Amino acid sequence: MQVFDKKSDQSQFTGIDDGQREKTINLELKEEKRNGAFGTMMAGLGSNGRYQGRVNINKFTKGKQLSFLGMGNNVNEQGFSISDYMNFSGGSNSLVGGGGAVQLSFSDNNSNGVPLNFGRQNGIMTNYAGGLNFNNVLSKKTEINGSYFYNNLDQDVDRTTERINYTPMGNYNYNGFSKTRNNNENHRLNFTIDHKIDSSNSLRFTTNASLSNTRLNTLSESQTMSTDNQLQNTSVTNNHTIGNGFNVTSNLLYRHRFKKRGRSFSTNINTVLSQNESNGELTADNEFFDTGEKKNISQVNDQNTDNQTVATTVSYIEPLGGRKYLEASYNFRTNRNQVERDVFDVSNGTRTQNMALSNVYHSNYFYNRPGLSLRVNRTKYNMSMGVNWQKTTIAGRLVLKDLDINKSFQNFLPVARLNYDFSNLKHLRLEYETSMQEPSIQQLQPVIDNTTNQINQSVGNPKLQPGYNHRVGVNFNIFDPAKALVFCFREWNIYEQRHLVPADHQPKSFVAHDARERTQCEQHQQ
């Protein structure tokens, strides 16, 4: 077993280091251990009705692997351990094939639906999960794998908030308490086929499908006070929502390596289809002490959302000599969104449509992003510098308001990376990246949102501009096999953020500049 920073798939295919790394565990099974079955089972009971259980069963032969993973508990464990995930996934087809080594990469949001326990969660949870995974090496050129996973998560969250709000219209204090009960049930199917056409061409197809059902109940109480603690208003809100949806994501990647070393071409096509439906009920009792007004709200709402995304990326790498490479890329993406939201006021059992809160809109986002970068590879270091130019065009229409929202944004996005290897046990990585965050069509449209906060309602701002984000990362690690492993990571995020404005004020753009630093240092004695 070996832990290391793996190069990207593109780097491994082209033989050119692009500076991107992914923390990876490398496993290799001995030949005589490639046939058999193993597993673990655990169960426990405690006081106050607490219980916990987990099972992991794996069977494999050379070229094939089948695993089952299951769990259930009400002791606030949201997911599986990394070792459970490794046994379940088999890592890759190489684990059961003839190659030997296998690479595993981890995050807390795996596409195959397996929840991992990274120790970060809110509230008290009851969780049930289970699934099957298979890997099959059909031939030296073709490998397939797939999985099905089911997850049911019940979450109780009590939250108390004390906040001071600083606004151009005046400052105020906010105190709130909310109790949320959230149930999320989902099914996930995943399938991947990896085919090496020949030594110069490869094809990879991946598709993921998910089906989810959610129930959300939120009871909240809040009060707003002036800076001298004079009560301004109070609110008691009960929000209940039932929803379901499905999502299908497919990706096709083709790569070609030319005869000239370092010259390569790749194209990637990605599609996303999703549909969501929800029904909600909202009741609220609001009191405004400055005017003596009391406002009681009883509403129901229905919402349907359809989304289609198609994206393609083309990349070409040309060697310049002296282990220098020039990469030209182009990305195009279009996102089409259709939303129908009907809100009805309920009085004495009679429904009346609320036209101020109801909304029907269609939107199209178009992204064009050409880019150019230079890479330099040396024995002890590699570096890359480049710039992308991104243009985003939004074409939206609010049907009920007979209003068109058409906007266009463009920015240059520089990026730079440096990897320096002092030795096999000491590494330094520097990164600088920029990105653009465009406002969504919901943030741009002048429609009131009364579900998030009854007292401090917001309305979309058609004048919003995109945020521009800067990320600076420093990664330095040392590994001493005789003593200890020391790992330190520091990252800064500097960004501009555009805010929505209160519903009873003229829309304006407010910009907040913020810098956040995250540092993590860990030491493990062997």
Side-chain angles (χ1 to χ4, degrees), residues 218-463:
T218 301
L219 175 65
S220 61
E221 301 176 1
S222 67
Q223 57 180 212
T224 303
M225 296 173 290
S226 61
T227 52
D228 57 357
N229 289 326
Q230 294 294 317
L231 194 61
Q232 301 295 308
N233 51 63
T234 62
S235 177
V236 178
T237 304
N238 194 350
N239 199 349
H240 174 66
T241 303
I242 299 176
N244 62 78
F246 76 89
N247 180 284
V248 179
T249 301
S250 299
N251 182 273
L252 180 64
L253 172 63
Y254 168 74
R255 290 179 292 195
H256 173 74
R257 183 168 48 211
F258 293 90
K259 291 183 179 180
K260 184 177 181 180
R261 181 177 176 81
R263 180 182 293 171
S264 66
F265 169 83
S266 66
T267 181
N268 191 30
I269 300 174
N270 189 69
T271 62
V272 179
L273 300 174
S274 66
Q275 185 179 61
N276 294 277
E277 300 177 355
S278 66
N279 308 103
E281 297 179 7
L282 171 67
T283 60
D285 297 321
N286 306 317
E287 186 171 1
F288 302 88
F289 292 92
D290 54 346
T291 62
E293 179 188 5
K294 293 184 178 180
K295 188 176 182 180
N296 300 321
I297 297 175
S298 179
Q299 293 175 343
V300 296
N301 62 79
D302 303 306
Q303 180 166 316
N304 295 315
T305 303
D306 290 305
N307 181 276
Q308 303 94 35
T309 299
V310 178
T312 181
T313 301
V314 178
S315 175
Y316 176 79
I317 298 177
E318 177 66 26
L320 302 178
R323 300 176 68 185
K324 295 188 292 291
Y325 307 90
L326 185 67
E327 179 179 9
S329 63
Y330 174 72
N331 173 264
F332 172 79
R333 178 161 58 99
T334 177
N335 176 268
R336 184 178 182 181
N337 201 23
Q338 297 173 298
V339 175
E340 296 184 9
R341 178 177 174 82
D342 295 315
V343 180
F344 300 90
D345 295 318
V346 180
S347 178
N348 299 321
T350 302
R351 293 187 175 189
T352 303
Q353 187 166 15
N354 189 318
M355 299 305 295
L357 301 179
S358 297
N359 195 14
V360 177
Y361 71 84
H362 306 151
S363 67
N364 279 327
Y365 275 70
F366 298 95
Y367 299 85
N368 287 278
R369 183 170 172 163
L372 197 65
S373 64
L374 176 68
R375 301 179 189 172
V376 178
N377 288 350
R378 294 295 183 263
T379 303
K380 282 192 170 289
Y381 71 90
N382 65 78
M383 59 181 297
S384 64
M385 298 174 292
V387 63
N388 298 295
W389 178 75
Q390 179 171 309
K391 181 178 181 181
T392 305
T393 303
I394 304 171
R397 177 164 180 77
L398 307 184
V399 178
L400 299 182
K401 296 183 180 296
D402 193 24
L403 176 65
D404 292 326
I405 298 178
N406 299 314
K407 298 183 77 68
S408 180
F409 313 108
Q410 54 189 3
N411 276 103
F412 285 99
L413 305 173
V415 59
R417 294 187 177 92
L418 171 66
N419 290 313
Y420 194 93
D421 298 327
F422 296 94
S423 67
N424 291 333
L425 306 177
K426 188 184 299 185
H427 309 279
L428 173 67
R429 182 182 182 189
L430 304 176
E431 284 186 304
Y432 171 69
E433 288 183 316
T434 55
S435 62
M436 188 168 64
Q437 181 62 53
E438 304 87 358
S440 67
I441 191 68
Q442 293 94 328
Q443 293 172 324
L444 290 170
Q445 56 190 342
V447 177
I448 297 174
D449 174 17
N450 74 327
T451 59
T452 304
N453 190 314
Q454 280 292 305
I455 297 300
N456 302 303
Q457 297 179 4
S458 64
V459 63
N461 181 1
K463 297 182 180 180

